């Protein structure tokens, strides 16, 4: 099966770029996963964002530390199984931390996790996912993990923690695509961060003037979404459903004009 994994979609520029990509290329993939925790004006997500993505062919939406920025999403998270927040959040929080989707007669588990280094979280992602994978491994053919984390060492550690157990482990959150895509233990596709979809002539999706000013004076600043140099980042991954092994992993890094 061929998967498209799309990195953090930021604001309207990201949404526009994503929809152009999907309208032209969704048919090339068997399964599409998008991290969209920044799609609503740069912070959070609302139900209409999710519904639009599903209409364009997205199979699962993953989230992260901005999951609960918009209260409108709370009930939707409880009622729509195809959108997931980090599994290691409190069980009392709205939503669920994983989805099991059957497509082309293949059962695919997608798990969302959030890191704990420099991040606010409730439970250890390593212990939480170890337990969950033990529960899921006999139920599904493919296991995919979106690890929404800040530091490369923690993401590397999660990749090796799940090497040979999951089919794919990829990082989100930093909005900077890394160049370390590989296959661990002849099974598990891995990349430290899949990158960002949106305006790349700013600073991780926001206008650079405001962020540079904050670095200089330390004063509270309202960030606005960057619209210049729209690009889509992600990975294209082929996984054999017979054994759950990743056979290839390739970065996606296209300008709006190249899509």
């Amino acid at each position: 099966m061929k998967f498209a994994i799309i990195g953090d979609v930021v604001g309207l520029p990201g949404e526009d770029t994503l929809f152009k990509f999907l309208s032209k290329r969704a048919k090339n993939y068997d399964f599409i996963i998008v991290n969209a925790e920044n799609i609503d004006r740069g912070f959070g997500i609302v139900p209409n964002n999710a519904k639009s993505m599903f209409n364009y062919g997205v199979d699962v939406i993953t989230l992260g530390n901005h999951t609960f920025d918009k209260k409108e999403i709370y009930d939707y998270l409880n009622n729509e199984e195809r959108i997931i927040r980090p599994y290691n959040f409190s069980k009392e929080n709205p939503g669920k931390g994983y989805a099991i989707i059957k497509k082309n007669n293949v059962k695919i588990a997608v798990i969302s996790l959030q890191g704990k280094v420099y991040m606010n979280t409730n439970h250890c992602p390593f212990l939480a996912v170890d337990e969950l994978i033990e529960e899921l491994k006999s139920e599904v053919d493919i296991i995919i993990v979106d690890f929404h984390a800040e530091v490369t060492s923690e993401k590397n550690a999660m990749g090796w923690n799940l090497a040979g157990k999951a089919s794919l482990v990829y990082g989100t959150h930093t909005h900077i695509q890394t160049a370390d895509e590989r296959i661990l233990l002849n099974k598990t596709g891995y990349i430290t961060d899949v990158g960002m979809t949106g305006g790349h002539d700013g600073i991780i999706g926001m206008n650079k003037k405001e962020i540079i000013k904050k670095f200089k004076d330390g004063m509270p600043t309202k960030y606005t979404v960057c619209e210049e140099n729209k690009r889509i980042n992600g990975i294209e991954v082929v996984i054999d459903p017979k054994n759950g092994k990743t056979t290839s992993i390739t970065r996606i890094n296209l300008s709006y004009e190249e899509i």
Side-chain angles (χ1 to χ4, degrees), residues 15-256:
E15 187 177 49
D16 179 42
T17 306
L18 173 68
F19 291 165
K20 182 180 181 183
F21 178 87
L22 294 175
S23 65
K24 293 190 173 186
R25 301 185 183 229
K27 60 182 179 296
N28 297 335
Y29 301 101
D30 300 301
F31 204 90
I32 299 169
I33 304 170
V34 177
N35 186 291
E37 65 144 12
N38 299 119
I39 197 170
D40 186 56
R41 290 167 288 180
F43 302 94
I45 184 172
V46 297
N48 282 342
N49 298 137
K51 292 173 185 177
S52 295
M53 283 187 279
F54 292 137
N55 287 337
Y56 271 89
V58 173
D59 293 286
V60 174
I61 297 168
T62 59
L63 303 173
N65 57 301
H66 290 291
T67 295
F68 303 125
D69 282 11
K70 305 293 166 61
K71 291 183 178 179
E72 303 96 304
I73 200 66
Y74 293 6
D75 287 341
Y76 191 77
L77 288 172
N78 287 326
N79 295 308
E80 174 54 75
E81 66 173 3
R82 296 173 295 173
I83 181 170
I84 56 175
R85 46 79 171 168
Y87 178 71
N88 56 317
F89 281 3
S90 170
K91 292 182 179 179
E92 303 302 315
N93 292 155
K96 192 175 180 182
Y98 68 94
I100 297 176
I101 307 293
K102 188 173 184 179
K103 194 170 184 184
N104 300 339
N105 210 34
V106 177
K107 291 183 76 174
I108 301 157
V110 181
I111 302 169
S112 173
L113 296 171
Q114 182 165 301
K116 57 184 179 178
V117 181
Y118 305 135
M119 304 280 281
N120 292 323
T121 190
N122 296 98
H123 304 291
C124 174
F126 293 87
L127 297 176
V129 76
D130 285 352
E131 183 178 314
L132 179 59
I133 282 190
E134 280 300 308
E135 296 175 11
L136 295 180
K137 66 182 183 181
S138 62
E139 296 182 34
V140 300
D141 303 296
I142 291 171
I143 297 176
I144 295 174
V145 178
D146 175 339
F147 190 34
H148 200 76
E150 189 76 46
V151 299
T152 56
S153 58
E154 189 178 17
K155 292 178 181 180
N156 284 177
M158 183 60 75
W160 283 113
N161 180 59
L162 297 179
K165 301 174 184 177
S167 302
L168 174 66
V169 180
Y170 62 94
T172 56
H173 178 63
T174 67
H175 294 201
I176 303 295
Q177 189 181 66
T178 57
D180 61 337
E181 70 278 10
R182 50 186 164 152
I183 298 173
L184 307 177
L185 299 186
N186 197 34
K187 175 173 180 174
T188 304
Y190 172 83
I191 187 170
T192 298
D193 202 288
V194 292
M196 183 199 82
T197 299
H200 278 242
D201 276 1
I203 298 172
I204 61 171
M206 299 295 166
N207 281 315
K208 51 186 174 288
K209 182 178 179 180
E210 299 146 4
I211 294 180
I212 292 170
K213 181 179 182 296
K214 183 174 177 63
F215 273 116
K216 289 181 176 181
D217 62 23
M219 296 298 292
T221 304
K222 183 179 180 180
Y223 298 148
T224 55
V225 174
C226 173
E227 299 183 4
E228 290 77 35
N229 187 20
K230 293 188 290 187
R231 302 187 71 85
I232 187 165
N233 285 170
I235 50 174
E236 182 178 286
V237 182
V238 177
I239 301 175
D240 186 344
K242 295 178 182 177
N243 53 26
K245 292 183 177 183
T246 288
T247 58
S248 72
I249 176 169
T250 307
R251 276 175 285 142
I252 298 169
N253 183 7
L254 299 171
S255 70
Y256 191 84

